[in-house]
Amino acid sequence: MKIELDQTRKDIISTQGHLLVTGGPGSGKTTIALLKAQERCRALLPGQEILFLSFSRAAVRQILVRCKDILRPAERRLIQVKTYHLFCLEALAAHGRLLCGRQARFMYPGDERLAKSQFDGAWEDERLRLSVDEGLFCFDLVAPAIATLFEQCEAVRKLYAGKYPLVIVDEFQDTDDDQWRIIQKFLESTEVFCLADPEQRIFEYRENVDPRRIEALRYLIRPAEFDLGGDNHRSPTAGIRQFADAVLENRSPLPGAPEVTILHYYAKSFASTVHAAALWTFSKLRKDDGIERPSVAVLCRSNSFVAQLSAILAEEHQFKNQTLPPVEHDVLWDADLSAAAAQVVGSLLEWPGKEASRAVSDTLRLIAHYYRIKNAETPSNAARENARKFDEAAEAIEGGKAPKIKAAKELAALAPDGFAFAGDPVDDWRKARRVLQEIKALNELFREARMVRMFRATDALGSSLSELWLSQGNYAGASDLVKRILDRERLLAADRDPQGCVLMTIHKAKGKEFDGVLLVEGAFVSQFFDTNREQPPYQRSRRLLRVGMTRARSRVTIVRPRGATPLVGNYT
């Protein structure tokens, strides 16, 4: 791929030493970094490589796509593109013995939430003890461990400096304190090229992310600095960037941008307006922009609102006397509770193949597991008590005693008759799930289990449950099967390239690109401006909105309630 370079980009490639390149979305920061890497590949010694660090797997995928466009295969093999987490995991696996005297092991976030919810004591102290005494590192202690290793062990620092004579750091403005400690050690021993967009700082709410990170870099090393801020190669003919910048800067009036459409709705027309906006965005991308198979991201501020939008797009609606068909879509979200509720449904499918008391106690154990996960995600006395009560109910059933809580009694009352399943996985699943709806105390699990459709795992679940039935005449093993399938589908969804319609939060969209973006604001939830936590002019919310808009290459549609806080204006 032949690229014409202006003088600024030629200077970036030729400049020796540490570099800082700033610029907005689509300004070409990644491209110039890869061209710089291409130039350095020629001087690499045997065994040396270039390290490209980014924050998310989505960003890594985008970088790898650019690599294929710009670099030859031999050059691509010399550039290691990794997330911070992957780099630190690999480094700790290789050198963890230097810190704890044994091979390092890892506890991933879901496992840690459960361990924390069941630990009686100071969890922060226990996490440190596990890492020091047992070599077991919780996920967010991996980067601090590597930072400490780099600070304390000169031999390891020299090893990595010799391996990577050039380290490229993507999204530098969002670097947290421990990642910054690692980069500082790289700055002492190898060449570092930082890419940053000061206006895309959307993680400042985290205590360990300093909004002055770029200033700290300048103070520490005075890097050669280049600004690509005025360029836009993602949508060079569009006004999306200018519109997004005006929102960011609270600059009135908003510039005219034919690629940006704002729709307002009354409360009663919310669902139909969102549905119509999604279909309209796809139509405009196909007809006006000539994109045969467009990708559209439907973005909002909260996971719960993502679930609501998914339910809307999954149904038919009437809009201006037209019937809108369901929109097939994918969802990227954190869904541990839905998976746990689905396991409970799976356990109910197993009842006909089990002795009655065992069937009930197994289901009660999984209900307790659901509440332990809930308590791990959002600690509360109610969730903790529910986990305890359902565990005690399971123990009572196992001991031949009557359980104390009403929900367990209602569940146990179903056991003598059990269920009559027919081998149709869809009908049987709904029949088992209906139990959670009919027992009032379990309605919450029913609602979460309904969200399983958001995994895009229904086909895999259906076919696997059918295989169980055909092979053994019942659904024995269904609960474990459900867990395996949903765990796998969540991993696949995280790694899947954006295609068609994809729903997610704006935070999760960072680092991704789509042909179109549909930004949706609720009337009372998931509002664009966090008026409860921010003061006007809501600068943090504006940065987040800009990130959402600039994920689009060609078109942005914004859906807002009538009477919402204006995108720009004087709020005093």
Side-chain angles (χ1 to χ4, degrees), residues 290-485:
I291 302 171
E292 184 178 350
R293 295 181 178 177
S295 60
V296 172
V298 181
L299 306 179
C300 63
R301 290 197 63 157
S302 69
N303 271 323
S304 59
F305 204 52
V306 168
Q308 185 177 343
L309 296 176
S310 176
I312 288 171
L313 295 182
E315 300 174 350
E316 289 187 351
H317 291 93
Q318 295 295 317
F319 186 79
K320 295 185 177 180
N321 297 320
Q322 290 188 345
T323 299
L324 307 180
V327 178
E328 185 177 351
H329 60 275
D330 201 355
V331 181
L332 301 185
W333 73 321
D334 300 318
D336 288 342
L337 281 176
S338 294
Q343 266 195 279
V344 175
V345 178
S347 75
L348 291 168
L349 286 172
E350 296 181 25
W351 276 30
K354 286 184 177 180
E355 186 270 327
S357 62
R358 171 69 185 279
V360 176
S361 65
D362 284 352
T363 297
L364 290 171
R365 294 286 187 194
L366 285 174
I367 295 172
H369 177 71
Y370 169 90
Y371 282 109
R372 281 194 293 273
I373 289 177
K374 183 176 182 179
N375 184 59
E377 289 187 350
T378 309
S380 70
N381 289 332
R384 191 161 44 250
E385 277 299 294
N386 278 328
R388 181 186 63 79
K389 289 177 181 178
F390 279 101
D391 267 333
E392 288 180 353
E395 290 177 7
I397 293 288
E398 291 165 356
K401 301 177 182 178
K404 294 181 180 179
I405 57 175
K406 183 179 178 182
K409 292 177 181 178
E410 292 179 89
L411 200 61
L414 299 173
D417 297 328
F419 302 104
F421 295 128
D424 182 321
V426 175
D427 288 344
D428 292 344
W429 179 272
R430 289 173 178 166
K431 187 172 186 177
R433 190 181 65 187
R434 198 175 302 123
V435 172
L436 304 179
Q437 184 180 25
E438 293 172 350
I439 298 176
K440 186 176 180 180
L442 302 181
N443 284 179
E444 175 185 333
L445 280 77
F446 171 76
R447 291 190 295 271
E448 286 291 345
R450 289 185 66 188
M451 293 296 108
V452 167
R453 68 181 184 276
M454 296 169 62
F455 285 93
R456 265 201 176 179
T458 50
D459 289 344
L461 272 176
S463 61
S464 297
L465 289 172
S466 289
E467 290 175 8
L468 270 186
W469 183 272
L470 290 172
S471 65
Q472 55 197 33
N474 58 38
Y475 292 114
S479 60
D480 288 340
L481 177 78
V482 168
K483 183 179 188 305
R484 289 198 307 273
I485 290 174

Side-chain angles (χ1 to χ4, degrees), residues 33-304:
L34 291 174
L35 291 172
K36 175 82 171 180
Q38 183 182 47
E39 180 69 20
R40 288 298 304 273
C41 281
R42 300 169 186 169
L44 293 179
L45 300 174
Q48 287 187 326
E49 295 172 332
I50 292 168
L51 178 62
F52 200 132
L53 289 174
S54 192
F55 278 87
S56 67
R57 287 177 292 183
V60 166
R61 284 198 301 273
Q62 293 291 340
I63 294 165
L64 292 174
V65 168
R66 303 279 174 82
C67 283
K68 292 180 181 179
D69 292 336
I70 295 170
L71 307 176
R72 293 184 290 272
E75 294 167 337
R76 293 201 296 269
R77 287 193 289 271
L78 295 174
I79 300 177
Q80 293 295 314
V81 185
K82 302 177 186 287
T83 63
Y84 278 101
H85 278 133
L86 178 58
F87 171 76
C88 292
L89 282 169
E90 291 178 346
L92 193 55
H95 308 292
R97 289 181 183 277
L98 295 173
L99 289 172
C100 57
R102 64 182 70 197
Q103 181 69 39
R105 298 178 295 123
F106 307 106
M107 182 186 293
Y108 290 90
D111 297 325
E112 183 186 353
R113 284 197 295 268
L114 275 179
K116 179 181 178 181
S117 69
Q118 298 174 52
F119 182 75
D120 185 17
W123 179 246
E124 289 301 316
D125 294 341
E126 174 65 6
R127 294 198 322 159
L128 291 174
R129 187 198 67 77
L130 288 171
S131 63
V132 174
D133 295 346
E134 301 182 25
L136 180 60
F137 290 83
C138 294
F139 204 56
D140 59 353
L141 288 185
V142 173
I146 292 304
T148 299
L149 187 62
F150 275 26
E151 289 166 349
Q152 296 181 354
C153 186
E154 183 181 4
V156 171
R157 281 202 309 276
K158 287 184 176 180
L159 178 68
Y160 279 90
K163 176 71 172 177
Y164 302 119
L166 173 63
V167 176
I168 301 170
V169 181
D170 194 23
E171 302 285 8
F172 175 75
Q173 76 279 351
D174 287 329
T175 305
D176 69 30
D177 291 342
D178 296 307
Q179 293 159 350
W180 173 230
R181 290 167 60 199
I182 294 170
I183 292 168
Q184 287 182 80
K185 289 300 150 184
F186 273 130
L187 287 166
E188 294 176 6
S189 50
T190 192
E191 186 177 337
V192 178
F193 183 172
C194 295
L195 309 175
D197 179 356
E199 303 302 342
Q200 284 207 75
R201 304 189 317 270
I202 64 172
F203 295 110
E204 287 180 4
Y205 63 89
R206 296 178 182 171
E207 293 182 358
N208 64 345
V209 176
D210 189 339
R212 300 164 297 178
R213 190 73 71 205
I214 294 174
E215 287 77 5
L217 177 71
R218 290 169 175 150
Y219 177 81
L220 182 66
I221 61 166
R222 298 184 182 276
E225 190 167 343
F226 298 87
D227 184 6
L228 305 179
D231 299 335
N232 179 14
H233 301 289
R234 180 171 298 163
S235 50
T237 62
I240 295 173
R241 170 71 182 280
Q242 289 81 2
F243 187 93
D245 284 347
V247 172
L248 172 71
E249 298 162 9
N250 192 26
R251 181 165 21 95
S252 183
L254 287 167
E259 302 83 4
V260 179
T261 302
I262 302 178
L263 305 174
H264 291 91
Y265 63 86
Y266 292 105
K268 291 183 178 179
S269 63
F270 169 64
S272 59
T273 303
V274 168
H275 197 153
L279 293 172
W280 182 85
T281 303
F282 272 104
S283 176
K284 296 292 283 186
L285 288 166
R286 292 189 187 100
K287 294 178 180 178
D288 293 6
D289 301 318
I291 302 171
E292 184 178 350
R293 295 181 178 177
S295 60
V296 172
V298 181
L299 306 179
C300 63
R301 290 197 63 157
S302 69
N303 271 323
S304 59

